[in-house]
Coordinates of all heavy atoms in Angstrom, one line a residue:
M1 N 0.8 -1.1 0.0 CA -0.1 0.1 0.0 C 1.0 1.3 0.1 O 1.9 1.3 0.6 CB -0.8 0.0 1.3 CG -1.9 1.2 1.3 SD -2.9 1.3 2.7 CE -4.0 0.1 2.4
D2 N 0.5 2.2 -0.7 CA 1.2 3.6 -0.8 C 1.3 4.1 0.7 O 0.5 4.0 1.5 CB 0.3 4.4 -1.6 CG 0.8 5.9 -1.4 OD1 2.0 6.2 -1.9 OD2 0.0 6.8 -1.1
P3 N 2.5 4.5 1.0 CA 2.8 5.1 2.4 C 1.9 6.2 2.8 O 1.5 6.3 4.0 CB 4.2 5.4 2.4 CG 4.7 5.5 1.0 CD 3.8 4.7 0.1
F4 N 1.5 7.0 1.9 CA 0.7 8.1 2.2 C -0.9 7.7 2.4 O -1.4 8.1 3.4 CB 0.6 9.1 1.0 CG 1.9 10.0 0.9 CD1 2.9 9.4 0.0 CD2 2.2 10.9 1.7 CE1 4.0 10.0 -0.2 CE2 3.4 11.6 1.6 CZ 4.3 11.2 0.7
A5 N -1.2 6.7 1.7 CA -2.6 6.1 2.0 C -2.6 5.3 3.2 O -3.5 5.5 4.1 CB -3.0 5.2 0.7
Q6 N -1.5 4.6 3.5 CA -1.4 3.9 4.8 C -1.3 5.0 5.9 O -1.9 4.7 6.9 CB 0.0 3.2 4.7 CG 0.1 2.2 5.9 CD 1.4 1.4 5.7 OE1 2.4 1.7 5.0 NE2 1.5 0.4 6.5
A7 N -0.6 6.1 5.9 CA -0.6 7.1 6.9 C -1.9 7.7 7.0 O -2.3 7.8 8.2 CB 0.4 8.2 6.5
A8 N -2.7 7.9 6.0 CA -4.1 8.5 6.1 C -4.8 7.5 6.9 O -5.7 8.0 8.0 CB -4.7 8.8 4.9
L9 N -4.9 6.3 6.7 CA -5.7 5.3 7.4 C -5.3 5.1 8.8 O -6.2 5.2 9.6 CB -5.5 3.9 6.7 CG -6.4 3.5 5.6 CD1 -5.9 2.2 5.0 CD2 -7.9 3.5 5.9
K10 N -4.1 5.2 9.2 CA -3.7 5.2 10.5 C -4.0 6.5 11.2 O -4.5 6.4 12.5 CB -2.0 5.0 10.6 CG -1.6 3.6 10.3 CD -0.2 3.5 10.8 CE -0.2 2.1 11.3 NZ 0.8 1.9 12.3
I11 N -4.0 7.5 10.6 CA -4.2 8.8 11.3 C -5.8 8.8 11.6 O -6.1 9.2 12.7 CB -3.9 10.1 10.4 CG1 -2.3 10.2 10.4 CG2 -4.6 11.3 10.8 CD1 -1.9 11.2 9.4
I12 N -6.6 8.4 10.6 CA -8.1 8.3 10.8 C -8.4 7.4 11.9 O -9.2 7.7 12.8 CB -8.8 8.1 9.4 CG1 -8.5 9.2 8.5 CG2 -10.2 7.9 9.7 CD1 -8.9 8.9 7.1
A13 N -7.7 6.2 11.9 CA -8.1 5.2 12.9 C -7.7 5.6 14.3 O -8.5 5.5 15.3 CB -7.4 3.9 12.5
E14 N -6.5 6.4 14.5 CA -6.2 6.8 15.7 C -7.2 7.9 16.3 O -7.7 8.0 17.4 CB -4.8 7.4 15.8 CG -3.7 6.3 15.9 CD -3.9 5.4 17.0 OE1 -4.0 5.9 18.2 OE2 -3.9 4.2 17.0
Q15 N -7.4 8.7 15.3 CA -8.5 9.9 15.7 C -9.8 9.3 16.1 O -10.5 9.8 17.0 CB -8.5 10.9 14.5 CG -7.4 11.6 14.3 CD -6.9 12.6 15.5 OE1 -7.8 13.0 16.3 NE2 -5.7 13.1 15.5
R16 N -10.2 8.2 15.3 CA -11.5 7.5 15.5 C -11.5 6.8 17.1 O -12.5 6.9 17.6 CB -11.7 6.6 14.4 CG -13.2 6.1 14.4 CD -13.4 5.4 13.0 NE -14.7 5.2 12.8 CZ -15.3 4.0 13.0 NH1 -14.6 3.0 13.2 NH2 -16.7 3.8 12.9
N17 N -10.4 6.4 17.4 CA -10.3 5.7 18.7 C -10.5 6.8 19.8 O -11.0 6.5 20.9 CB -8.9 5.2 18.9 CG -8.8 3.8 18.2 OD1 -9.6 3.2 17.7 ND2 -7.4 3.5 18.0
I18 N -10.2 8.0 19.4 CA -10.3 9.0 20.6 C -11.7 9.8 20.4 O -12.4 10.0 21.4 CB -9.2 10.2 20.4 CG1 -7.9 9.3 20.7 CG2 -9.3 11.2 21.3 CD1 -6.6 10.1 20.3
I19 N -12.1 10.1 19.2 CA -13.3 11.0 19.1 C -14.5 10.3 18.4 O -15.5 11.0 18.2 CB -12.9 12.3 18.3 CG1 -12.4 12.0 16.8 CG2 -12.0 13.1 19.1 CD1 -12.3 13.2 16.1
G20 N -14.3 9.1 18.1 CA -15.3 8.2 17.6 C -15.7 8.7 16.1 O -14.8 9.1 15.2
P21 N -17.0 8.6 15.7 CA -17.3 8.8 14.4 C -17.1 10.2 13.6 O -16.9 10.4 12.4 CB -18.9 8.6 14.2 CG -19.2 8.1 15.5 CD -18.1 8.4 16.5
L22 N -16.8 11.2 14.6 CA -16.5 12.5 14.0 C -15.1 12.6 13.3 O -14.9 13.3 12.4 CB -16.3 13.5 15.2 CG -17.5 14.0 15.9 CD1 -17.2 14.9 17.1 CD2 -18.3 14.9 14.9
A23 N -14.2 11.6 13.6 CA -13.0 11.5 12.8 C -13.2 11.2 11.4 O -12.6 11.8 10.5 CB -12.1 10.4 13.5
L24 N -14.2 10.3 11.1 CA -14.4 10.1 9.7 C -15.1 11.3 9.0 O -14.8 11.5 7.8 CB -15.1 8.8 9.7 CG -15.2 8.0 8.3 CD1 -13.9 7.8 7.7 CD2 -15.9 6.8 8.4
E25 N -15.9 11.9 9.8 CA -16.7 13.0 9.3 C -15.7 14.0 9.0 O -15.8 14.7 7.8 CB -17.7 13.5 10.3 CG -18.5 14.6 9.9 CD -19.4 15.1 11.0 OE1 -20.1 14.1 11.5 OE2 -19.4 16.2 11.4
Q26 N -14.8 14.5 9.8 CA -13.7 15.4 9.4 C -12.9 14.9 8.3 O -12.5 15.8 7.5 CB -13.0 15.8 10.7 CG -13.7 16.3 11.8 CD -14.3 17.6 11.3 OE1 -13.6 18.5 10.8 NE2 -15.6 17.7 11.6
A27 N -12.5 13.8 8.3 CA -11.6 13.3 7.2 C -12.3 13.5 5.7 O -11.6 13.7 4.7 CB -11.1 11.9 7.3
N28 N -13.5 13.1 5.8 CA -14.3 13.2 4.5 C -14.4 14.8 3.9 O -14.6 14.9 2.8 CB -15.6 12.7 4.6 CG -15.8 11.1 4.6 OD1 -14.9 10.5 3.8 ND2 -16.4 10.6 5.4
K29 N -14.0 15.7 4.8 CA -14.1 17.0 4.3 C -12.8 17.5 3.6 O -12.6 18.6 3.1 CB -14.2 18.0 5.6 CG -15.6 17.9 6.3 CD -15.8 18.8 7.3 CE -17.1 18.6 8.0 NZ -17.2 19.6 9.2
V30 N -11.7 16.6 3.6 CA -10.5 17.0 3.1 C -10.5 16.7 1.5 O -10.6 15.6 1.1 CB -9.4 16.2 3.7 CG1 -7.9 16.5 3.1 CG2 -9.3 16.4 5.3
K31 N -10.1 17.8 0.9 CA -10.1 17.6 -0.6 C -8.9 16.8 -1.2 O -7.8 16.9 -0.5 CB -9.9 19.0 -1.3 CG -10.0 19.0 -2.7 CD -9.9 20.5 -3.3 CE -9.9 20.4 -4.7 NZ -9.7 21.8 -5.4
G32 N -9.3 15.9 -2.0 CA -8.0 14.9 -2.5 C -7.9 13.7 -1.8 O -7.2 12.8 -2.0
L33 N -9.0 13.4 -0.8 CA -9.0 12.2 -0.1 C -10.3 11.5 -0.2 O -11.3 12.0 0.1 CB -8.7 12.6 1.5 CG -8.5 11.5 2.6 CD1 -7.0 10.8 2.1 CD2 -8.3 12.2 3.8
K34 N -10.2 10.3 -0.6 CA -11.4 9.5 -0.9 C -11.3 8.3 0.0 O -10.3 7.5 0.0 CB -11.5 9.0 -2.2 CG -12.7 8.3 -2.7 CD -12.7 7.8 -4.1 CE -14.2 7.0 -4.3 NZ -14.1 6.4 -5.7
I35 N -12.2 8.2 1.0 CA -12.2 7.1 2.0 C -13.2 6.0 1.8 O -14.4 6.4 1.6 CB -12.2 7.7 3.3 CG1 -11.2 8.8 3.5 CG2 -12.1 6.6 4.4 CD1 -11.5 9.8 4.7
D36 N -12.8 4.8 1.9 CA -13.7 3.6 1.9 C -13.4 3.0 3.1 O -12.5 2.0 3.3 CB -13.5 2.7 0.6 CG -14.3 1.5 0.6 OD1 -15.1 1.3 1.5 OD2 -14.2 0.6 -0.3
W37 N -14.0 3.4 4.3 CA -13.7 3.0 5.5 C -14.0 1.4 5.8 O -13.2 0.8 6.4 CB -14.4 3.8 6.6 CG -13.9 3.5 7.9 CD1 -14.5 2.9 8.9 CD2 -12.5 3.8 8.5 NE1 -13.6 2.8 10.1 CE2 -12.5 3.4 9.8 CE3 -11.4 4.5 7.9 CZ2 -11.3 3.5 10.6 CZ3 -10.3 4.7 8.7 CH2 -10.2 4.1 9.9
E38 N -15.1 1.0 5.3 CA -15.5 -0.4 5.4 C -14.5 -1.4 4.9 O -14.2 -2.5 5.4 CB -16.9 -0.7 4.7 CG -18.0 -0.1 5.4 CD -19.3 -0.5 4.6 OE1 -19.4 -1.4 3.9 OE2 -20.4 0.2 4.9
N39 N -13.8 -1.0 3.8 CA -12.8 -1.8 3.2 C -11.4 -1.4 3.6 O -10.5 -1.9 3.0 CB -12.9 -1.9 1.7 CG -14.1 -2.6 1.3 OD1 -14.5 -3.6 1.7 ND2 -15.0 -1.9 0.4
Q40 N -11.3 -0.4 4.4 CA -10.0 0.1 4.8 C -9.1 0.7 3.7 O -8.0 0.2 3.7 CB -9.3 -1.0 5.8 CG -9.9 -1.2 6.9 CD -9.9 0.0 8.1 OE1 -9.0 0.3 8.5 NE2 -11.0 0.7 8.3
K41 N -9.8 1.4 2.8 CA -8.9 1.8 1.7 C -9.1 3.4 1.6 O -10.1 3.9 1.9 CB -9.5 1.2 0.3 CG -9.2 -0.3 0.2 CD -9.6 -0.9 -1.0 CE -9.4 -2.4 -1.0 NZ -9.6 -2.8 -2.4
V42 N -7.9 4.0 1.2 CA -7.9 5.4 1.0 C -7.2 5.6 -0.4 O -6.3 5.1 -0.7 CB -7.0 6.1 2.2 CG1 -6.8 7.6 1.7 CG2 -7.7 6.0 3.4
E43 N -7.9 6.6 -1.1 CA -7.2 7.0 -2.3 C -7.0 8.5 -2.2 O -7.8 9.3 -1.8 CB -8.2 6.9 -3.4 CG -7.8 7.2 -4.9 CD -8.8 6.9 -6.0 OE1 -9.6 5.9 -5.8 OE2 -8.8 7.7 -6.8
I44 N -5.7 9.0 -2.6 CA -5.3 10.3 -2.4 C -5.0 10.8 -3.9 O -4.3 10.2 -4.8 CB -4.0 10.4 -1.7 CG1 -4.3 10.0 -0.3 CG2 -3.5 11.9 -1.7 CD1 -3.1 9.9 0.6
T45 N -5.7 11.8 -4.4 CA -5.5 12.5 -5.6 C -4.7 13.8 -5.4 O -5.0 14.5 -4.4 CB -6.8 12.7 -6.4 OG1 -7.6 13.5 -5.5 CG2 -7.5 11.5 -6.7
G46 N -3.9 14.3 -6.2 CA -3.2 15.5 -6.2 C -1.8 15.2 -5.4 O -1.3 14.0 -5.3
N47 N -1.3 16.3 -4.9 CA 0.0 16.2 -4.0 C -0.3 15.5 -2.7 O -1.0 16.0 -1.9 CB 0.5 17.6 -3.8 CG 1.8 17.6 -3.1 OD1 2.0 16.9 -2.0 ND2 2.7 18.5 -3.7
K48 N 0.2 14.3 -2.6 CA 0.0 13.4 -1.4 C 0.4 14.2 -0.2 O -0.3 14.0 0.9 CB 0.6 12.1 -1.6 CG 0.0 11.3 -2.8 CD 0.6 10.0 -3.0 CE 0.0 9.2 -4.2 NZ 0.6 7.9 -4.4
T49 N 1.6 14.8 -0.2 CA 2.1 15.4 1.0 C 1.2 16.4 1.5 O 0.8 16.6 2.7 CB 3.6 16.1 0.8 OG1 4.4 14.9 0.4 CG2 4.1 16.7 2.0
E50 N 0.7 17.3 0.6 CA -0.2 18.3 0.9 C -1.6 17.8 1.5 O -2.3 18.4 2.3 CB -0.5 19.3 -0.4 CG 0.7 20.0 -0.6 CD 0.5 21.0 -2.0 OE1 -0.6 21.0 -2.5 OE2 1.5 21.6 -2.3
V51 N -2.1 16.8 0.9 CA -3.3 16.1 1.3 C -3.3 15.6 2.8 O -4.1 15.8 3.5 CB -3.7 15.0 0.4 CG1 -5.1 14.3 0.8 CG2 -4.2 15.6 -1.0
I52 N -2.2 14.9 3.1 CA -2.0 14.4 4.4 C -2.0 15.7 5.4 O -2.3 15.6 6.5 CB -0.6 13.6 4.6 CG1 -0.9 12.3 3.7 CG2 -0.4 13.3 6.1 CD1 -2.1 11.3 4.1
D53 N -1.1 16.7 4.9 CA -1.0 17.9 5.8 C -2.4 18.5 6.1 O -2.7 19.0 7.0 CB -0.1 18.9 5.0 CG 0.8 19.6 5.9 OD1 1.1 19.0 7.1 OD2 1.6 20.5 5.4
A54 N -3.3 18.5 4.9 CA -4.7 19.0 5.1 C -5.5 18.2 6.0 O -6.2 18.7 6.7 CB -5.3 19.1 3.7
L55 N -5.2 16.9 6.0 CA -6.0 16.0 6.9 C -5.5 16.3 8.4 O -6.5 16.4 9.3 CB -5.7 14.5 6.6 CG -6.2 13.5 7.5 CD1 -7.8 13.5 7.5 CD2 -5.7 12.1 7.2
V56 N -4.4 16.4 8.7 CA -3.8 16.8 10.0 C -4.4 18.1 10.4 O -4.8 18.4 11.5 CB -2.3 16.7 10.2 CG1 -1.7 17.1 11.6 CG2 -1.8 15.3 9.8
A57 N -4.3 19.0 9.4 CA -4.8 20.5 9.7 C -6.4 20.4 10.0 O -6.8 21.2 10.9 CB -4.6 21.4 8.5
Q58 N -7.1 19.6 9.4 CA -8.5 19.4 9.6 C -8.8 19.0 11.1 O -9.6 19.7 11.8 CB -9.1 18.5 8.7 CG -10.6 18.3 8.7 CD -11.3 19.5 8.4 OE1 -11.0 20.2 7.4 NE2 -12.5 19.8 8.9
Y59 N -8.0 18.0 11.5 CA -8.2 17.6 13.0 C -7.7 18.8 13.9 O -8.3 19.0 14.8 CB -7.4 16.3 13.1 CG -8.0 15.1 12.5 CD1 -7.4 14.3 11.6 CD2 -9.3 14.8 12.8 CE1 -7.9 13.2 11.0 CE2 -10.0 13.7 12.1 CZ -9.3 12.9 11.4 OH -9.9 11.8 10.7
K60 N -6.5 19.3 13.5 CA -6.0 20.3 14.4 C -7.1 21.5 14.5 O -7.3 22.2 15.8 CB -4.6 21.0 13.8 CG -4.1 22.2 14.6 CD -2.8 22.7 14.0 CE -2.3 23.7 14.9 NZ -1.0 24.3 14.4
N61 N -7.6 22.0 13.4 CA -8.5 23.0 13.5 C -9.9 22.7 14.3 O -10.5 23.6 15.0 CB -9.1 23.5 12.0 CG -8.0 24.1 11.3 OD1 -7.0 24.7 11.8 ND2 -8.1 24.2 10.0
F62 N -10.3 21.4 14.4 CA -11.4 21.0 15.0 C -11.2 20.6 16.5 O -12.0 21.0 17.3 CB -12.1 19.8 14.3 CG -13.4 19.6 14.4 CD1 -14.4 20.5 13.9 CD2 -13.8 18.6 15.3 CE1 -15.7 20.2 14.2 CE2 -15.3 18.3 15.5 CZ -16.2 19.1 15.1
F63 N -9.9 20.0 16.7 CA -9.7 19.4 18.0 C -8.5 20.0 18.8 O -8.2 19.5 19.8 CB -9.6 17.9 17.9 CG -10.8 17.3 17.4 CD1 -10.8 16.8 16.1 CD2 -12.0 17.2 17.9 CE1 -11.8 16.2 15.5 CE2 -13.1 16.7 17.4 CZ -13.0 16.2 16.1
G64 N -7.7 20.9 18.0 CA -6.5 21.5 18.6 C -5.2 20.7 18.5 O -5.1 19.7 17.8
Q65 N -4.2 21.3 19.1 CA -2.7 20.8 18.8 C -2.7 19.4 19.3 O -1.9 18.6 18.7 CB -1.8 21.7 19.5 CG -0.3 21.3 19.4 CD 0.1 21.4 18.0 OE1 -0.3 22.2 17.2 NE2 1.0 20.5 17.7
T66 N -3.4 18.9 20.2 CA -3.3 17.4 20.8 C -3.6 16.6 19.7 O -2.8 15.5 19.5 CB -4.3 17.3 21.9 OG1 -3.9 18.3 23.0 CG2 -4.1 15.8 22.6
S67 N -4.4 16.9 18.8 CA -4.8 15.9 17.7 C -3.6 15.8 16.8 O -3.3 14.7 16.2 CB -6.0 16.4 16.9 OG -5.8 17.6 16.3
V68 N -2.7 16.9 16.6 CA -1.6 16.7 15.7 C -0.5 15.8 16.4 O 0.1 15.0 15.7 CB -0.9 18.1 15.6 CG1 0.4 18.1 14.9 CG2 -1.8 19.1 14.9
E69 N -0.5 15.9 17.7 CA 0.5 14.9 18.3 C 0.0 13.4 18.3 O 0.8 12.5 18.1 CB 0.7 15.2 19.9 CG 1.2 16.6 20.1 CD 2.6 16.9 19.4 OE1 3.3 16.0 19.4 OE2 2.7 18.1 18.8
V70 N -1.3 13.2 18.2 CA -1.8 12.0 18.0 C -1.5 11.3 16.6 O -1.2 10.2 16.3 CB -3.4 11.9 18.3 CG1 -4.0 10.6 17.8 CG2 -3.7 12.1 19.7
C71 N -1.7 12.3 15.7 CA -1.4 12.0 14.3 C 0.2 11.6 14.1 O 0.6 10.7 13.4 CB -1.6 13.1 13.4 SG -3.4 13.6 13.2
K72 N 1.0 12.5 14.7 CA 2.5 12.2 14.7 C 2.8 10.7 15.1 O 3.6 10.0 14.6 CB 3.3 13.3 15.5 CG 3.3 14.5 14.8 CD 4.1 15.4 15.6 CE 4.2 16.8 14.9 NZ 5.1 17.7 15.8
D73 N 2.2 10.4 16.3 CA 2.4 9.1 17.0 C 2.1 8.0 16.0 O 2.5 7.0 16.0 CB 1.9 9.0 18.4 CG 2.6 9.8 19.4 OD1 3.7 10.2 19.2 OD2 2.0 10.1 20.5
A74 N 0.9 8.3 15.4 CA 0.2 7.2 14.5 C 1.2 6.9 13.4 O 1.1 5.6 13.0 CB -1.2 7.6 14.1
V75 N 1.8 7.8 12.8 CA 2.4 7.5 11.6 C 4.0 7.7 11.7 O 4.7 7.6 10.8 CB 1.9 8.5 10.4 CG1 0.6 8.3 10.2 CG2 2.3 10.0 10.8
K76 N 4.6 7.6 12.9 CA 5.9 7.7 13.1 C 6.7 6.7 12.2 O 7.6 7.1 11.6 CB 6.2 7.6 14.5 CG 7.6 8.1 15.0 CD 7.9 7.9 16.5 CE 6.6 7.9 17.3 NZ 6.9 7.7 18.7
S77 N 6.3 5.5 12.3 CA 7.1 4.4 11.7 C 7.0 4.6 10.1 O 7.9 4.2 9.4 CB 6.6 3.0 12.1 OG 5.3 2.8 11.7
I78 N 5.8 5.0 9.7 CA 5.7 5.2 8.2 C 6.4 6.3 7.7 O 7.1 6.1 6.7 CB 4.2 5.4 7.9 CG1 3.4 4.2 8.3 CG2 4.0 5.7 6.3 CD1 1.8 4.5 8.2
L79 N 6.6 7.4 8.4 CA 7.3 8.7 7.9 C 8.8 8.3 8.0 O 9.5 9.1 7.1 CB 7.0 9.8 8.7 CG 5.4 10.2 8.8 CD1 5.3 11.4 9.6 CD2 4.9 10.5 7.3
Q80 N 9.3 7.5 8.6 CA 10.8 7.3 8.6 C 11.2 6.7 7.4 O 12.4 6.8 7.1 CB 11.2 6.2 9.8 CG 10.9 6.8 11.1 CD 11.1 5.7 12.3 OE1 11.2 4.5 12.0 NE2 11.2 6.3 13.4
S81 N 10.3 6.1 6.5 CA 10.6 5.5 5.3 C 10.6 6.5 4.1 O 11.1 6.3 3.0 CB 9.9 4.3 4.9 OG 8.6 4.8 4.7
L82 N 10.1 7.7 4.4 CA 10.0 8.8 3.4 C 11.1 9.8 3.4 O 11.7 10.1 4.6 CB 8.7 9.5 3.7 CG 7.4 8.8 3.4 CD1 6.2 9.8 3.8 CD2 7.3 8.3 2.1
P83 N 11.4 10.3 2.2 CA 12.5 11.3 2.3 C 11.9 12.6 3.0 O 10.6 12.9 3.1 CB 12.7 11.7 0.8 CG 12.1 10.7 0.0 CD 11.1 10.0 1.0
Q84 N 12.8 13.3 3.8 CA 12.4 14.5 4.7 C 11.5 15.5 3.8 O 10.5 16.0 4.4 CB 13.7 15.2 5.3 CG 13.2 16.2 6.2 CD 12.6 15.6 7.6 OE1 12.7 14.5 7.8 NE2 11.8 16.5 8.1
A85 N 11.9 15.7 2.5 CA 11.1 16.7 1.8 C 9.7 16.1 1.6 O 8.7 17.0 1.2 CB 11.8 16.9 0.4
Q86 N 9.3 14.9 1.7 CA 8.0 14.4 1.5 C 7.1 14.3 2.8 O 5.9 14.0 2.7 CB 8.0 13.1 0.8 CG 8.5 13.0 -0.7 CD 8.4 11.7 -1.5 OE1 8.6 10.7 -0.7 NE2 8.2 11.7 -2.6
V87 N 7.7 14.5 3.9 CA 7.0 14.4 5.2 C 6.2 15.7 5.4 O 6.7 16.9 5.1 CB 8.1 14.3 6.4 CG1 7.3 14.4 7.6 CG2 8.8 13.0 6.2
P88 N 4.9 15.6 5.5 CA 4.0 16.6 5.6 C 4.5 17.7 6.7 O 5.1 17.3 7.8 CB 2.6 16.0 6.0 CG 2.7 14.7 5.5 CD 4.2 14.3 5.5
N89 N 4.4 18.9 6.6 CA 4.9 20.0 7.5 C 4.4 19.7 9.0 O 5.1 19.8 9.8 CB 4.6 21.3 7.0 CG 5.4 21.7 5.8 OD1 6.4 21.3 5.7 ND2 4.8 22.6 4.9
L90 N 3.1 19.5 9.1 CA 2.4 19.5 10.3 C 2.9 18.2 11.2 O 2.7 17.9 12.3 CB 0.9 19.4 10.4 CG 0.4 20.8 10.1 CD1 -1.1 20.7 9.8 CD2 0.8 21.8 11.1
L91 N 3.6 17.1 10.4 CA 4.0 15.9 11.0 C 5.4 15.9 11.3 O 6.1 14.9 11.7 CB 3.6 14.7 10.1 CG 2.1 14.6 10.0 CD1 1.8 13.3 9.1 CD2 1.5 14.3 11.4
R92 N 6.3 17.0 11.0 CA 7.5 17.1 11.3 C 8.0 17.5 12.7 O 7.3 18.0 13.5 CB 8.3 18.1 10.5 CG 8.3 17.8 8.9 CD 8.9 18.8 8.1 NE 8.7 18.4 6.8 CZ 9.2 19.1 5.7 NH1 9.8 20.1 5.9 NH2 8.9 18.6 4.5

């Protein structure tokens, strides 16, 4: 699976553990992100780094800085495999 799609799934899953169905509702508002939660699939169109950044920003705007830390923890292992330039700004 694409590391960005994998990161999106992990971020949404972690947020869902904390805030429940609102996590999926907020994720569905992110442009360039198509989510099939039942099948655990995510499709990202456009600049993948920017879309993941937008996903994290969506949670940050709705739930605050703590949600950014949850996102960072969720994808720490995935981001280690990416070049630094491809790591979304909010996850650095």
Side-chain angles (χ1 to χ4, degrees):
M1 179 185 287
D2 171 58
F4 291 96
Q6 190 177 14
L9 274 175
K10 285 194 134 209
I11 287 169
I12 296 165
E14 281 302 311
Q15 294 292 342
R16 199 162 186 256
N17 286 339
I18 296 167
I19 59 173
L22 284 175
L24 197 52
E25 182 181 304
Q26 292 302 306
N28 280 318
K29 294 179 180 181
V30 176
K31 185 177 179 186
L33 194 61
K34 183 179 177 187
I35 304 161
D36 177 359
W37 192 251
E38 286 183 22
N39 294 308
Q40 295 291 292
K41 291 185 182 182
V42 170
E43 184 180 321
I44 299 174
T45 55
N47 183 312
K48 294 177 180 186
T49 301
E50 290 176 6
V51 172
I52 296 298
D53 228 10
L55 176 62
V56 176
Q58 183 69 31
Y59 289 127
K60 181 181 179 183
N61 292 338
F62 202 73
F63 305 108
Q65 183 62 33
T66 303
S67 64
V68 175
E69 299 307 317
V70 169
C71 293
K72 285 180 182 180
D73 286 344
V75 296
K76 193 180 334 180
S77 63
I78 297 168
L79 297 181
Q80 290 174 350
S81 66
L82 294 176
Q84 187 65 22
Q86 290 183 336
V87 175
N89 289 330
L90 288 173
L91 297 177
R92 291 183 183 178

